Structures are given as C-alpha cells and as structure tokens.
Amino acid sequence: MKKTLAQLAQHVGGKVKGNADIEISSVATLQNATEADISFLANPKYTNALQTTKAGAVIVGQDMDAPVPLLICEDPYYAFTQISVLFHGYRQHKNVGISPKADISKTAKIGAGCIINNFASICDGAVIGDNVVIYPGVFVGDNVKVGDNCILYPNAVIYDGCRLGNNVIIHANTTIGKDGYGFAPHKGKFYKIPQIGRVVIEDDVEIGANTCIQRGTLEDTIIGTGCKLGDLIDIGHGVKIGPHCLLVGHLAIAGSTTIGHHCVIAAQAGIVGHIKIGNFVKIGAQAGVINDVPDDQSVVGAPAIDVSKARRAYAMIENLPEMKKTIRRIEKQIEKGK
Amino acid sequence: MKKTLAQLAQHVGGKVKGNADIEISSVATLQNATEADISFLANPKYTNALQTTKAGAVIVGQDMDAPVPLLICEDPYYAFTQISVLFHGYRQHKNVGISPKADISKTAKIGAGCIINNFASICDGAVIGDNVVIYPGVFVGDNVKVGDNCILYPNAVIYDGCRLGNNVIIHANTTIGKDGYGFAPHKGKFYKIPQIGRVVIEDDVEIGANTCIQRGTLEDTIIGTGCKLGDLIDIGHGVKIGPHCLLVGHLAIAGSTTIGHHCVIAAQAGIVGHIKIGNFVKIGAQAGVINDVPDDQSVVGAPAIDVSKARRAYAMIENLPEMKKTIRRIEKQIEKGK
Amino acid sequence: MKKTLAQLAQHVGGKVKGNADIEISSVATLQNATEADISFLANPKYTNALQTTKAGAVIVGQDMDAPVPLLICEDPYYAFTQISVLFHGYRQHKNVGISPKADISKTAKIGAGCIINNFASICDGAVIGDNVVIYPGVFVGDNVKVGDNCILYPNAVIYDGCRLGNNVIIHANTTIGKDGYGFAPHKGKFYKIPQIGRVVIEDDVEIGANTCIQRGTLEDTIIGTGCKLGDLIDIGHGVKIGPHCLLVGHLAIAGSTTIGHHCVIAAQAGIVGHIKIGNFVKIGAQAGVINDVPDDQSVVGAPAIDVSKARRAYAMIENLPEMKKTIRRIEKQIEKGK
C-alpha cells in the first residue's frame, strides 16, 4: 500500500510543508528511514537527526526548517501511530473457528465469531463474548467471564471467577487471578487464607507477558479501563488501579494499595501495600514507594521522594566520601584554631 | 451456611462480648462488612474503623469498647482465617479423573484419587502420589516424584528428577528445576556446565505463579517444609531455604546461598550468592543483601543494614543537598574567621 | 563411567601432581566430595577447603601444597566443566519423533531428526531446522524460523516472525517476540502502536525460564551470538545486545538501548531506554543505569556509578545520621567561638 503525503496529512488531520505528492509505504526511525518511509520527531533530543534523515517525510509538531517534506500536526507521536496502523495494522489471527482439539465445557457459553485454538481449555460456566481469540494452551477457569474482542495469547491462565471486559489483551504465559499471597502465622507455621475476591479487568486493558495479577483476599483486584501493563509485573491481592494508567514492566505493587487514574509507574518500581497513590502520579524506575503520594506528584528513588529533590539528592551519594573528608578537615581546622 | 457468633467463638477457641446469637455467613474487611459478615482487627492502624464498621461482629485480640459484638481470642488473624475456611473453604477441583487427553507415560506411576486434566504431560518414570490435582498444560518431567495431595496449576513445568513433598501447591506458569545459571568462560565464549542437582521441595510448600526455581549445579536446591513463595521469584542454583520461610514476591536469591528457618523476605529484595542468612531473619522490600546476616536480625536498604539504623539513614539521602550547603557555609565562615 | 586422573588430565590438557592412577567417576564441591569425585578450586575464598576436602582429586590453576592429588591446568573452572560434561553430559531428550498429538501446520517445514512433542503448536510458514527438540505446550508462531539443534522447553512461546539461530535453548514458560510496550497518548487515552520489528536471536544463545523479550516497534530486538540470559528477565523493544554477554537474571532493559559485547549484567539490574552500553562493561546487582557506559567500565549502585567509587559511597549511607550530628556539633562550636 502506498499513500501520498497529502493523503496521510488528511488521514491524521495535519498539513504538509513541501512536496505533498511523494509516496510513502511504511514507517521508520529518523536514522533508518528510506525514501519510502515516513518518520517522526516527538523527542527534541533527536532534532539534529531531522537534518540528516533519508526519510521521505517527517511528522513534526510545529513548522521548522528541514531538508525533507514535513507533515505538521498537533501530536506527532499519535499521528505516527495512526499512520503505522494504516500501513501495517495489527496482528491478524488465523480463523480456525472453534478447534475440535480445544477442550470446551458443555456449560461454557461461546459468543459469535470466536477463534479457539487447539489445546485451549474453557471450563464450566465460563462465558466468552463475541469475536474473542484464544490461542493454544490458554486456560479459562470456571465461571470466568470474558468480554467481546479479547485476545488471549498462548498459555495465558485465567483462574476461576475472574472478569475481563471488552477489548482486553492478555499476553503469553501471564497469570490472572492466582490466589492472593495471604497466610496467617500461628505457632510457627503459616495457614493459607481463602482468597475469595476475584480479578476484574475493565475494558481496553492490555497486559504483558509473564505477568501475574493476584485475586483479592476479600475484595476484588481491579485493573481500570484503558490501563496498559507491561511484562513480568507482580500485582498483589486487592490492588485497585484506576483508569488509563501505564505500568511499564518488571514492577511490583503490594496488596490492598489503591492507585488513581492516569498514573505512570516505570520499570522495576515497587509500591508497598495498603497505601494510596493519587491521580496523574508519576513513579520513577526502581522507585521504592512507602507512603501515600498525592495527585500530580512525581517521585523517584528508594525511598521515593519528590523528583525535584530526588535527582540531585541521589546523585550526591557519589560525593559522600568527599563530604566526609571535608568534614574531617573542618574539624581539624577548628581543633587547631582553639 | 450460617453460624451464630457463639458457634464461631467455639470454633476458634475464643469468647464473645455482646450478642452471641447473631448469625454470620461470611467474612469481610471492617470497611466493607455488612451485618452478615464477621470482620477482624489485627493491625492497630485500623482501630478507628472498629467504631464505624457495619460488621455483625469483629474478631479482636483483647477486650475493648466497641459498638459491635466482639469475638475475643488470642490470635485474631488466625481465627479470621479459620472462620474464612469454615465459610468458604478452598478451591474445589472438578473430578475429571485421569483424562484420556492427558499424555501419561506407561512407565509413570499415578496414585489413587488423582485428577489429571487434558493436555498435561507426565513423563517416563514419574511417580505421582495420591489425590494429586494436575491442571491442563502441566509438564511433569522424567523421574519427577510428586507427593500426596499436591496441586499443580495450569502450565506449571517440573523439569526431570525434581522432588515435591506432600501438600505442595505450584501455581500457574511456574518453572521448577530449570537448569542452574552456570557457564564457564573460556577464550571469550561461555560453556554450559551440566546441572546435575535437582530441586527438592519439602512438605506443605506453596509456590506462586510465574516463579522459577533453578536446579543445583552439583547439589540440590532445597525449599524447606512449610515455606510460602509468592509470584515472579527467581531462586538460583543450589539455594537452600530452611522451613517456614515467607518469600513474598518478585525477589531474587543468587546461587548457593543458605537461608535459615522462619525468615521473611519482602518483595523485590535481592540476596547475593554464597552467603548465609540465619534463622528468624527479616529482609525488607527492595533490600540488597551482600553479606551474611545473623539470626534474628532485620535488615533493609541496598546495601542492606540493620533496620534500626537503616530507616533513618536512607531517609536522610533526601537531605544531602542541604547538608552540602551547610558544609560550604561552615567552610566560608572558617575562611572569614582566619 | 570411571576415568583415571591421568586420563582426565589428558582430556583437559593439564598435568597431574600426585597419584595419577586414582579413579574418578563424578564431580562435586570441595565440601561434599567423596573419594570418587574430582573437585575444583577456582575461587581463592575456598583455598582452605583444599586442606580438608575428601575429594579424590582437585583441579587447580597452579601448583600448590595439598593433601590430595591435583590436576593442574590453566583454567580450572573450564576444566571442571569439561570433566562434568564427560561424566554427566547434558539432558537427553526422549525421541518421540513428530508426535501425532502435536499440531503442525501443513505449510510449516520441519527439518531432519526433529523431536516435536504432544500439545506443541507449529504455525503456518514456520521453518524448523534439523535436530530441533520441541517440548509439550510450546507455541511457534507464523513464519518463525528456528535454526538447527535448538531446544524449546515446555510452554515456551515464540510469537510470529521471530528468528532463532542454531543451538539456541529457550527454557520453560518464556516468551519471545511479544509486542513491544508502545502506546501513544492522545486526549487521556493510550493507543497501541503496531510492533512491526521482530526478535532475532543469534547462534548459541541460552535464554532462561519465565523471561520475556519484546519484539521491536520498528526495528528488530537482537540477542547476540553466545549470550546467556537467566530467568525472569524483561527485555524491551528494539534492544540490541552484542555477542557473548551474560545477563544473570531478574533484570530489565528498557527499549532501544544498545549493549556491546562481553558485558556482564548482574541480577536485578535495570537499564533505562535509549542509552548505549559499551563492550566488556560490568553492571552490578540492583544497579540502576541511567547514562551511557563506556567500554570496560564497571558500575554499581542506583544511580549507577563507577565501582571504584560506588562501594564506598553507598556503604556510607549508613553513616549519614552520624555525619549530620558532626556537622551540627561543628556549627555549635563555631557559634560559640564567635
């Protein structure tokens, strides 16, 4: 498929500076683009690359001087996404219908247009919406409810009773609804606490691979509408995450913590249990959050503190030996001065 | 099922303060309980909630003033667990017997009362005890031995030769007995070292989802009786963990480290290889343990230090810029004073 | 199998000090070896154990006094590896041929001598080399290319289009080629960016269990020849890792970062996106790398700094309360002195 730059501009609601007739057939980075590619500039760090790129055109956020045709629009990264979808679309799933080699309970209900592959298990009382794609090795437990247009990638496991909204994507080898980590100590042993909550995943959520979301001990664990979770994430029992949060990857949130909407939690961050994170909060990579965080705050470091202080404070650890030396020198000067 | 408060008190060996005839049918948090629920107060942080809860009754550790009937007993959290088990029990497993769609070697031995689901693989020479539940997609390698009453959740993988005791639970997508990470460098390349140890999991152990326990290079990796491991845990080759430890989740222990009994290792902690952790040790979340830890010590921070010092010391990182300013001011004052 | 010490010395190109006729049949640690075992001394920390070991012989790097026969060679750890391979070899895989219970697309090409177990899925257009072993529950997506002599352990998942070289080992429950974590924000929601890159794994790579390697957004994610990755590792989209790196385990590398050759990245380290790590770089456990690292540098700590400074600087955090006291005392002395 080829599109002129003019057509692309129309598609994303932008305008062209330069030759609007050039034909584009794919997307690429500024560095690796060829004449047939459109690229984008969203990060000012790469502004120099605009001068040397071999791209056929570049999407930018504002008018600027460049040796290539520009597609100027409000939100270059989003426009790039729209154009990438136009050229490449998303993964297509082979329509195998309902495989006779899948194991589907007679009491399960399967919606219209579903694809259920070999070696998938759909247990008693499960309800699968329309146009759901279930890959091999997926396990959908008793009474699980899966909304419309969901995709469950190979070997994803959904324990009994969990709820998935519409348009939910669960990647390979991920576990949803595993028992919460709850054990009561008594005379030197630990006793398993029944985990009677569920995991409820709202609409438009994508969950990465090799991630685990625990069910709640007493109340449900909730992943809000539009949240995007990465890989190797560990979500504790009864955690509640508001809509439209980004949880990047390889991070952990302990039980019963509540997170607002539109938060960003970077890789390898950890959040203790039973605290409250506000809305629009940003938590840096490897941060260790041990207290409530109010709306709009950005924290980094372990223990996590406001980003305005943190970068400088943590960078100064390097200077500690030097500081100690200075203090000793001062002490000696004072001693002499006496 | 309904029980009077008197009956529940008898069940857990406690006594009632207030109306012993009220009927209870479930358990809930102080905040969300209704009249039909019993709740519990184990964490003093929630004492205020006792005054406003709508619970029918609350389990407490000592007599206190409250507007609701109380069930007073020595160990409220354990009593709550007993009552939750009474009302809700644990997950029931559909009795499918031995599915003809499972793949079971002719040389494997399967005990009485086992449930083996579709798409499970039991390899040559494996020995499965009585009343074991094996979910779809589970792989039990050659010569693995599984004790009685074990539960292996979907897609759990047990490599060849490993040993599971009785009453062991392995959650979904977890890997037991994968080769230890051992490579000998030689002239710029790395050569794989045969991993001839096994993983031995003793009785009453529960292991979370998406966790990996490596087999030993020369000796076995051992998980002691009654240990409870969470999700996304990475246990190195030849690690030996004593009985009744809690390993919360998303943590890593490097090869050949030995851990005593009754230790608690919090989320995202890391422990280097070849060290010795004593008994009753507590290791905080995100701690980085690089030296032996004696019995009964609690450590936090990275590098990990005694908790009595650590909380204050790590909190002071925030003040480093201020400290540096103060030192500079002092230096100037001394300079002037000369 | 038994070998005399003389035969073992010949096998590894070393020489014997002491009785060359003793017979050895296995390998063991200095501490647990018996007369029939050969052990090794590679870490000076264990030199004392050489005096008390019950091993039949010990591999050492140089002549030394010891009460046991010695096998002296240049690289004791590598020699030990060679001898362990001689006695124990690597895991043997049952030759089930191509199981009729595997699901293999008619358009897939399978090389000679392959073993494909039950419940494995090989999708359309996949090309599998010679002598490949595919365990149950493995998923090989559309148009994936797998080289010769690869081993894919149970429930490993390879998404469409990825490339595996020769002699690649992928352990259980690992996910290769899952979509990169890429979402464009627009008016409070996040939109999925098509991930059109692949994962390319070069020859002789071993990848641990429960690990996830994301495919690239626009360009391929590359794991270089001879790299050895551990368990629970999270590799972002478009990361490029040079040949012969060790990535120990439970670590994360964010998108588009480039890593040179012969690097060692220890457990729980994190590396931010879009940076460049040189060749022969060492990154310590739990390090947080936020800037480029030049060739040959070793960094530890979060934020990561040169190891020569870091160990001392981070250890001094413990002394911060003491430092603050000293500064206050100085201030008071100056105040008095005025």
Side-chain angles (χ1 to χ4, degrees), chain A residues 27-29 32 40 45-46 75 77-78 80-81 84-85 88-91 94 101 118-119 135-136 153-155 169 171-173 206 208-210 226 228-232 244 246-250 262 268 286 314-315 317-318 320-321 323-324 327 330-331 334 338, chain C residues 101 103 119-121 124 137 139 155 157 159-160 173-175 178-179 181 183-186 188-194 196 210-212 214-215 218-219 232-234 250 252 268-270 274 286-288 302 305 309 312-314 316 320 323 326-327 329-330 333:
Chain A
V27 293
T29 59
N32 289 337
F40 70 103
K45 186 177 164 184
Y46 295 112
D75 192 342
Y77 196 46
Y78 177 63
F80 156 77
T81 301
S84 185
V85 172
H88 302 290
Y90 297 111
R91 184 175 288 112
K94 189 179 183 180
K101 288 193 207 163
N118 311 308
F119 319 136
Y135 273 87
Y153 281 102
N155 299 336
I169 299 173
H171 281 281
N173 290 317
E206 179 164 344
N210 297 86
K228 310 297 180 186
L229 278 69
D231 312 318
L232 292 123
H244 305 298
L246 297 180
L247 279 69
V248 174
H250 210 259
H262 291 94
Q268 293 189 324
Q286 293 189 329
Y314 280 96
I317 294 171
E318 187 172 357
L320 279 175
M323 271 172 80
K324 196 166 182 183
I327 293 171
I330 292 172
E331 283 184 292
I334 290 177
K338 275 187 183 170
Chain C
K101 288 192 208 163
D103 194 73
F119 319 135
S121 302
D124 292 353
F139 176 86
N155 299 337
V157 173
Y159 279 59
D160 49 291
N173 290 317
T174 275
T175 308
K178 173 253 169 187
D179 294 347
Y181 186 85
F183 302 93
H186 186 67
K189 293 188 179 183
F190 294 94
Y191 294 84
K192 185 173 175 68
I193 302 170
I196 61 181
N210 298 85
T211 276
C212 176
Q214 296 176 7
R215 66 196 309 118
L218 295 170
E219 295 158 28
L232 291 123
I233 289 177
D234 183 14
H250 210 259
Q268 292 188 323
H274 294 272
Q286 293 188 328
I305 54 178
K309 292 184 186 179
R312 211 170 142 236
Y314 279 96
M316 283 181 64
L320 278 176
M323 271 173 78
T326 307
I327 292 171
R329 201 179 58 233
I330 292 173
Q333 286 177 311

Side-chain angles (χ1 to χ4, degrees), chain B residues 4 32 40 61 67 101 144 174 228 231 276 280 291 308:
Chain B
T4 64
N32 289 337
F40 70 104
K101 287 194 209 163
V144 166
T174 274
K228 310 297 179 186
D231 312 317
K276 190 172 181 240
F280 296 103
N291 295 305
S308 63

Side-chain angles (χ1 to χ4, degrees), chain A residues 112-178:
Chain A
C114 286
I115 297 172
I116 303 184
N117 281 275
N118 311 308
F119 319 136
S121 301
I122 315 288
C123 298
D124 292 353
V127 178
I128 309 291
D130 295 341
N131 305 312
V132 170
V133 180
I134 295 183
Y135 273 87
V138 166
F139 176 86
V140 176
D142 291 346
N143 304 310
V144 165
K145 206 168 168 185
V146 175
D148 298 335
N149 311 312
C150 291
I151 307 169
L152 307 187
Y153 281 102
N155 299 336
V157 173
I158 321 290
Y159 279 58
D160 49 291
C162 293
R163 295 278 174 274
L164 275 62
N166 299 319
N167 315 312
V168 169
I169 299 173
I170 310 281
H171 281 281
N173 290 317
T174 274
T175 308
I176 306 293
K178 173 255 171 187

Side-chain angles (χ1 to χ4, degrees), chain A residues 213-260:
Chain A
I213 302 179
Q214 297 176 6
R215 66 196 310 117
T217 305
L218 296 171
E219 294 158 28
D220 296 338
T221 303
I222 298 172
I223 310 295
T225 302
C227 284
K228 310 297 180 186
L229 278 69
D231 312 318
L232 292 123
I233 289 179
D234 184 13
I235 304 287
H237 49 85
V239 166
K240 295 184 198 310
I241 303 179
H244 305 298
C245 290
L246 297 180
L247 279 69
V248 174
H250 210 259
L251 56 87
I253 304 177
S256 301
T257 278
T258 301
I259 295 175

